[in-house]
Amino acid sequence: KKVWVEERKSGQKMRCEACAAKVEAGSLVAALKNASVVQSGDAAIFGDRQWLQSVDAMTSPLGDPYLHGFIAVIHALSDLYVCGQLLENQRPKLAILVTGGRGLPSIEANRLLAIMHGVKAAAAQEGADIITGHSATGPVDQVSVTVTGRALPYVPPQAELPAEVGIFLSKPLGVGALLVARRLGAGRALSISAAIASMKASNRRAAECAMAAGALALTDVTGFGLARHIENVIQDIETNLKVKMGAALFLHKIPILEGASKILENTSIRASLSPSNKNSVRNFMDLNTKNTSLTDILFDPQTSGGIVAVVPTANANKLVAHLQKSIAPKTAIIGSLSFEHTGIIAN
């Protein structure tokens, strides 16, 4: 609360946590460019080109230390899953850094214990090993997870583009809106339960299925929102196949968590990263609707969001049907690639 007061004094609204606490996209790109740091995608490939590694850090999305540890691991592992097929019997390795919010030593110890129980439970679910770690204290709880896995890096098809290509999403959106509504006392328990279940769900199977369906590009949706990640996958395809294209999104087909639509339609509550997410793609988008409650979901920051992939339509329908019956009932085809325009058109 003290932090919120200081931010209000400086003209800032309440900051969100988890993936909505990222540095704004424009600021991040500028900082990396000025520091001459080259981005390597979701995970880096190294060694004999069968090793993948990534790192992620997350403040607590809910104030629950167990869920904090659990979701941090699930989210970090997604970066491996979208970059390659993990080799059989090669368990991902985790290095954990827990920064505990400062308090009485007994309270710090109890929160660390609860976080590590969540980390261990998620690692067990995903078949991963915790191999090392470190601890510290700071203003708030934060869990950093370095993930390393032995895998066959995924190489998208290099053939000519099929005539019809669909965009699919494996998890519903709305996590950012629900989490900030909860912090402000406006979120319902059922809505939060749906958001928690979504954040805890692994992306491994969805990513594997997308690759098996011949995905031209895929990534996981995180704090920069769906629109920015679709822009990224389009740019990946353009780089790989040396073509120019755009995307058409069907707003009414985008799955949204229960309660999130009402928040966006009936209130001015938005996650603190949403405005900058929208601004970061303003030159890449054409919003063919004045209904901001529909379009704002495109910029909602997701914590442990789903897989977004560009897949030949002939395979996409089977992919969606399979995932809906098994692990991802909210999976949907939410748009298609277009060769008639560049950028994203949302209808």
Side-chain angles (χ1 to χ4, degrees):
K1 291 182 178 178
K2 183 178 179 181
V3 174
W4 300 351
V5 170
E6 293 303 313
E7 288 177 342
R8 288 194 186 104
K9 286 181 180 178
S10 64
Q12 298 180 23
K13 296 181 179 180
M14 182 189 75
R15 296 288 187 91
C16 294
E17 302 296 341
C19 285
K22 286 177 175 288
V23 174
E24 293 181 356
S27 300
L28 174 62
V29 171
L32 294 178
K33 181 179 179 180
N34 291 336
S36 300
V37 174
V38 179
Q39 300 182 65
S40 60
D42 292 292
I45 302 172
F46 67 98
D48 58 1
R49 294 193 61 79
Q50 287 193 338
W51 287 98
L52 298 171
Q53 188 173 74
S54 183
V55 62
D56 217 310
M58 181 186 295
T59 51
S60 180
L62 293 157
D64 182 313
Y66 176 88
L67 287 174
H68 186 185
F70 193 105
I71 293 167
V73 169
I74 298 299
H75 173 71
L77 281 168
S78 287
D79 285 335
L80 293 191
Y81 299 156
V82 298
C83 288
Q85 179 78 44
L86 296 182
L87 297 178
E88 188 175 357
N89 299 323
Q90 295 292 324
R91 296 166 63 93
K93 310 302 179 186
L94 310 179
I96 312 295
L97 166 59
V98 177
T99 301
R102 295 190 181 100
L104 295 174
S106 60
I107 294 177
E108 291 176 358
N110 286 336
R111 292 185 71 80
L112 174 61
L113 177 62
I115 287 172
M116 289 309 300
H117 275 311
V119 167
K120 287 185 66 177
Q125 172 185 293
E126 298 300 291
D129 298 320
I130 302 168
I131 59 171
T132 189
H134 195 69
S135 66
T137 61
V140 296
D141 287 353
Q142 180 168 285
V143 179
S144 303
V145 184
T146 298
V147 291
T148 305
R150 193 168 179 83
L152 291 175
Y154 182 63
V155 179
Q158 300 293 312
E160 183 177 345
L161 277 170
E164 296 184 357
V165 185
I167 301 170
F168 102 98
L169 178 66
S170 68
K171 288 186 185 182
L173 304 179
V175 169
L178 287 171
L179 291 182
V180 70
R182 179 181 181 274
R183 291 187 71 188
L184 295 173
R188 294 184 178 181
L190 181 60
S191 297
I192 294 302
S193 296
I196 291 172
S198 179
M199 289 187 287
K200 290 177 67 178
S202 172
N203 277 328
R204 182 168 185 169
R205 185 59 182 153
E208 289 175 345
C209 289
M211 293 177 202
L216 304 178
L218 72 161
T219 189
D220 57 330
V221 184
T222 59
F224 293 141
L226 177 66
R228 180 60 184 250
H229 285 89
I230 289 177
E231 178 185 3
N232 290 343
V233 296
I234 289 175
Q235 290 175 344
D236 287 345
I237 297 171
E238 289 179 337
T239 299
N240 290 337
L241 298 182
K242 307 295 190 262
V243 295
K244 285 292 183 182
M245 67 188 69
L249 297 184
F250 316 134
L251 293 174
H252 64 285
K253 292 188 176 182
I254 295 176
I256 303 176
L257 288 164
E258 183 178 356
S261 294
K262 292 182 178 179
I263 291 169
L264 296 176
E265 290 171 3
N266 302 323
T267 77
S268 61
I269 294 173
R270 300 292 186 272
S272 55
L273 199 60
S274 292
S276 70
N277 285 348
K278 185 174 184 178
N279 186 58
S280 72
V281 294
R282 69 185 186 281
N283 296 324
F284 199 76
M285 291 202 67
D286 182 4
L287 303 176
N288 286 346
T289 176
K290 295 182 179 179
N291 188 340
T292 57
S293 64
L294 277 176
T295 58
D296 280 357
I297 196 65
L298 300 175
F299 317 113
D300 189 55
Q302 305 306 293
T303 297
S304 189
I307 300 298
V308 61
V310 178
V311 180
T313 300
N315 300 333
N317 292 323
K318 294 179 182 179
L319 169 64
V320 169
H322 172 71
L323 291 176
Q324 285 178 342
K325 291 179 181 179
S326 54
I327 59 165
K330 297 293 186 179
T331 296
I333 297 174
I334 61 169
S336 63
L337 287 190
S338 172
F339 304 101
E340 298 178 356
H341 63 83
T342 58
I344 301 173
I345 293 178
N347 296 294

